[in-house]
Amino acid sequence: MCQQWLSVAGHLLVLAGFLFIASELRHVFGRGRKKGRLHIYKIGVVLVVVGLLGQTAGGWVGRIPIDGIKSCY
């Protein structure tokens, strides 16, 4: 099995995280700061970080030692 699906999943997670962060920033700059919405920003940041790691794992040439999936390159 190829590991390119990790790259695709990484792109989708980065997109979702960006939308969470953009939504939160719109509320921060548009209507003032709300304390209860900080968790949405944190979720977005986590999704972006995990997505970037997924993109890196999907583009890794050779073999990922953790899961043993070989690259198709």
Side-chain angles (χ1 to χ4, degrees), residues 5-30:
W5 64 272
L6 291 169
S7 183
V8 173
H11 282 292
L12 292 175
L13 287 173
V14 167
L15 177 64
F18 172 76
L19 292 175
F20 273 103
I21 292 170
S23 170
E24 179 59 23
L25 289 176
R26 183 178 55 106
H27 285 287
V28 167
F29 290 115

Side-chain angles (χ1 to χ4, degrees), residues 29-50:
F29 290 115
R31 301 182 194 143
R33 186 85 171 130
K34 293 185 180 180
K35 294 180 183 177
R37 298 190 52 91
L38 184 61
H39 66 280
I40 295 175
Y41 180 77
K42 289 180 182 178
I43 290 171
V45 169
V46 168
L47 285 174
V48 168
V49 169
V50 171

